[in-house]
Amino acid sequence: LDFYGDLSDEGDGLTSVPAPRRNAFHVPRPHKEIGPVVRTLMRRANEEFLDRGLSVLYVSFGMLRWKDTDGSDMASPLYLVPVELVPEGPRATPRLKATEVDHVLNPALPLRLSEFGVQWPTLDDMEDLGVTGILDVFRDAIAKADDFSGWEILSETHLATFSFSK
């Protein structure tokens, strides 16, 4: 997958942005900033793999916005797809590529949410579902839980490093 951003004002007009293709990842920032940000993320993920042997780069689908017991706002990714960034040259923006590693649900959520009495779905509960169906299963789980107003499942997609080894 390629990355594309927003048009940016260079002072003398708008900088052109490549037309988004069907399988592209939109980044809500000026297009010219994407390359350095993605290269930094690639370096961070590669360092983690070299230092600890852990693949930590994922595209997350869905975000649970919730309140902890102390009232603090929390955001937790739901469905995680392991990916890698493939360099295209020293100054080029790396391309996003899926890996052969299995997709996972955020393993920290069931542990934490069980303290709230929330029965969290497993990946087996969602076999053969697409991302929209998976997010609907999570929405149903939250809807069945008592007194969780203000908790919501958002249809957001993020590319980030996530480490579950702790």
Side-chain angles (χ1 to χ4, degrees), residues 24-121:
F25 203 101
H26 175 254
V27 180
R29 60 186 322 149
H31 187 74
K32 67 179 183 172
E33 295 177 8
I34 295 172
V37 170
V38 174
R39 285 190 299 275
T40 299
L41 186 58
M42 180 180 69
R43 280 191 295 276
R44 187 178 320 140
N46 290 343
E47 286 172 11
E48 187 73 15
F49 185 77
L50 291 172
D51 290 347
R52 299 177 49 200
L54 297 174
S55 296
V56 295
L57 188 63
Y58 294 88
V59 171
S60 70
F61 294 95
M63 189 68 70
L64 172 63
R65 301 275 180 192
W66 56 290
K67 298 232 183 252
D68 205 352
T69 53
D70 64 0
S72 59
D73 291 325
M74 306 295 285
S76 302
L78 298 174
Y79 181 58
L80 301 160
V81 177
V83 295
E84 63 181 318
L85 290 166
V86 180
E88 296 283 307
R91 306 292 274 156
T93 302
R95 291 179 52 91
L96 188 65
K97 179 182 171 197
T99 67
E100 297 296 319
V101 180
D102 289 336
H103 305 177
V104 296
L105 299 179
N106 183 339
L109 277 177
L111 299 172
R112 183 68 177 120
L113 294 179
S114 67
E115 297 172 17
F116 290 97
V118 176
Q119 180 63 37
W120 208 236

